[in-house]
Amino acid sequence: QTYNVAIVGATGAVGQQLLNTIESRNFPIKNLSLLSSKRSAGKAINFKGKEHTVEEATPESFEGVDVAFFSAGGSVSKALAPEAVKRGTVVIDNTSAFRMDKDVPLVVPEVNEAALHQHNGIIANPNCSTIQMVVALEPIRQKFGLTKVIVSTYQAVSGAGAQAVQEMYDETKAILEGRSFTPEILPVSSDEKHYQIAFNAIPQIDKFEENGYTFEEMKMINETKKIMGMPELEVAATCVRLPVEIGHSESVYIEIEESNRQAQELKQSLEGAAGVVVQDNPSEQLYPMPALAVGKNDVFVGRIRKDLDRDNGFHLWVVSDNLLKGAAWNSVQIAESLIKLELI
Ligand code: 11C
C-alpha cells in the first residue's frame, strides 16, 4: 500500500531532513505535497529526481492526504492541523502546539508506541532534547525502575532554526576578523536582549516562565512524565545553548528504584536497546560527541558512572542529532509505526 503524504514546512531545516529520511527509508509514497507558509511558497525542491513546487498550505491542501508532517511552527499547526484532521488526514506534528493535550499522544516509538492506538487524528512529536533523553532512560526504567532525573543540556544552535545557525557563523567570522557584531536572534528572537553565541554558552532556551524555568526546561520536565507515563517522576532541567551547529548533548543524573546496582549493569541494559548505541570506554577515550552523531538516527550514551555518594544514583552522557532522532526521524518512525499497527 502507498500513501498520499504532505510536508508542511518543507523549506525549513527539519522539512529538509524529513525529505531525506522519507527517501532513505523508502517510505511508501503515492503522492507528495510540499507545503509552506505564503513566504516560502513557489520554491522548487527536488525529491527523488523530481522537481516539486512548494505550495502555500491552506485547509484545502489536505483533501485526499493520508498523512501530513507539520514542522512550520506552533501557530501554523494550531491553525491547520485541525483542518487536516477534518479532511481525514493523520497529522504528525513536530511543534509544541498539542503536545500536552490529553487526547493527543506524545510518542517516541522506542518508549510508548502503544499510545498511538489512542490517537484522534493528531500525534505529537516531542521536543528534541526530551526525545533523546527518554530513549536512554526507558531501558534503565524497565530493568531497575526510575524515581528521579536531573538533566543539564548542551544544545546545538540548529534547534533554534536556520537563521540562528547563520547568526552563529556570521558572528564567529566577525569576531575572528576583529569586527563588531550585533546579535539579533539568539537566545530568543522575540525577547528584548540578544547575546553572542560564538565562543559562549547561553543558559536560556526559549522564553522564561513565571516559575523561573524556561519553556524548553518545562518541555523536558512535562513531556518526559507524559511519554514515560510517570506523572510522579521527579524531573528537573537546565537547558543551555552552545556554539555547536548540530547535535544536542545532555548530562543526566538519575536515581533508580533498586539498590546495590552497578554502572556495568546499567550499561548492559542499554546495550542492544532499541535506538541506543553505547559508546563508553574511558580507557580508550570513547564517549559520545555531537560532531560524531551528525547524520545518525541513534541516541548515543556514554560516561555511565555510579554516583559517589548515593547508592541508587547514576550519571550518563546522552548525545543525538537533534534534527534526526530529535525531529525528522522520530516523526517518520511514528508514521512507520502507524502503518505497522494499521492505524492509517
Ligand atoms: C531547541 N529544543 O533546541 C529546541 C527546538 O519544541 O520542538 C525544538 C522546539 C520544539 O531550541
Side-chain angles (χ1 to χ4, degrees):
Q1 199 178 346
T2 52
Y3 301 88
N4 292 327
V5 174
I7 296 183
V8 185
T11 56
V14 172
Q16 191 54 54
Q17 294 301 332
L18 273 166
L19 287 167
N20 295 344
T21 305
I22 282 172
E23 181 163 8
S24 66
R25 296 290 299 178
N26 217 359
F27 192 84
I29 293 183
K30 192 190 297 166
N31 183 53
L32 178 68
S33 326
L34 300 184
L35 307 170
S36 73
S37 61
K38 203 174 188 167
R39 191 167 44 92
S40 305
K43 284 191 185 165
I45 290 185
N46 195 291
F47 179 72
K48 288 191 173 176
K50 201 174 143 204
E51 284 267 290
H52 290 257
T53 304
V54 179
E55 286 170 20
E56 184 185 349
T58 64
E60 292 70 38
S61 313
F62 300 96
E63 299 288 354
V65 171
D66 300 306
V67 56
F69 297 94
F70 274 68
S71 193
S75 53
V76 173
S77 291
K78 276 197 183 126
L80 290 177
E83 295 292 338
V85 173
K86 258 190 234 166
R87 289 165 174 80
T89 307
V90 176
V91 169
I92 300 172
D93 183 34
N94 193 42
T95 76
S96 60
F98 304 103
R99 286 181 188 149
M100 297 314 296
D101 286 12
K102 277 204 172 57
D103 61 350
V104 173
L106 181 63
V107 176
V108 177
E110 290 87 345
V111 181
N112 66 338
E113 185 183 56
L116 290 172
H117 288 284
Q118 269 83 53
H119 90 77
N120 296 301
I122 300 178
I123 295 126
N125 190 74
N127 179 32
C128 41
S129 47
T130 315
I131 295 177
Q132 66 183 68
M133 183 170 79
V134 297
V135 168
L137 293 181
E138 179 61 13
I140 297 173
R141 185 266 291 259
Q142 278 185 17
K143 203 100 204 250
F144 309 105
L146 186 68
T147 56
K148 188 182 185 82
V149 180
I150 300 176
V151 56
S152 300
T153 69
Y154 305 69
Q155 292 182 226
V157 174
S158 54
Q163 285 184 316
V165 171
Q166 193 57 48
E167 177 169 277
M168 174 176 71
Y169 277 110
D170 294 346
E171 189 175 68
T172 306
K173 198 159 181 280
I175 291 171
L176 290 174
E177 291 171 357
R179 289 183 282 114
S180 71
F181 186 91
T182 309
E184 291 174 355
I185 296 170
L186 288 165
V188 178
S189 57
S190 59
D191 266 3
E192 204 180 309
K193 292 186 178 171
H194 298 105
Y195 296 116
Q196 168 185 334
I197 185 66
F199 311 103
N200 200 11
I202 305 178
Q204 181 191 353
I205 298 185
D206 217 318
K207 287 185 172 282
F208 278 99
E209 306 270 288
E210 282 190 351
N211 64 4
Y213 286 76
T214 62
F215 187 48
E216 180 80 357
E217 290 160 353
M218 290 314 298
K219 282 192 285 190
M220 287 199 82
I221 293 166
N222 295 326
E223 293 180 17
T224 297
K225 294 176 196 228
K226 177 167 175 176
I227 298 161
M228 299 191 85
M230 298 178 80
E232 74 289 0
L233 183 67
E234 294 177 14
V235 190
T238 303
C239 293
V240 179
R241 188 79 71 196
L242 287 196
V244 167
E245 181 174 345
I246 298 174
H248 288 348
S249 306
E250 302 176 343
S251 166
V252 189
Y253 169 76
I254 57 169
E255 288 179 8
I256 59 172
E257 260 173 46
E258 295 195 9
S259 45
N260 288 322
R261 294 297 189 169
Q262 302 309 319
Q264 188 59 24
E265 293 175 275
L266 268 73
K267 192 170 158 184
Q268 275 164 6
S269 75
L270 287 163
E271 273 162 351
V276 175
V277 173
V278 174
Q279 291 180 327
D280 192 10
N281 188 349
S283 69
E284 290 180 6
Q285 288 179 283
L286 179 67
Y287 37 72
M289 288 185 280
L292 303 180
V294 177
K296 311 238 167 71
N297 285 339
D298 309 284
V299 172
F300 298 90
V301 187
R303 302 295 322 277
I304 305 163
R305 285 153 292 151
K306 190 170 167 109
D307 190 67
L308 297 178
D309 297 302
R310 289 191 79 88
D311 173 62
N312 64 338
F314 292 87
H315 300 268
L316 319 167
W317 176 248
V318 181
V319 176
S320 194
D321 183 323
N322 54 304
L323 301 176
L324 291 180
K325 183 56 185 166
W329 166 230
N330 198 68
S331 297
V332 173
Q333 238 183 330
I334 290 172
E336 291 184 354
S337 294
L338 287 168
I339 294 173
K340 182 183 77 184
L341 300 172
E342 299 181 357
L343 294 169
I344 39 173

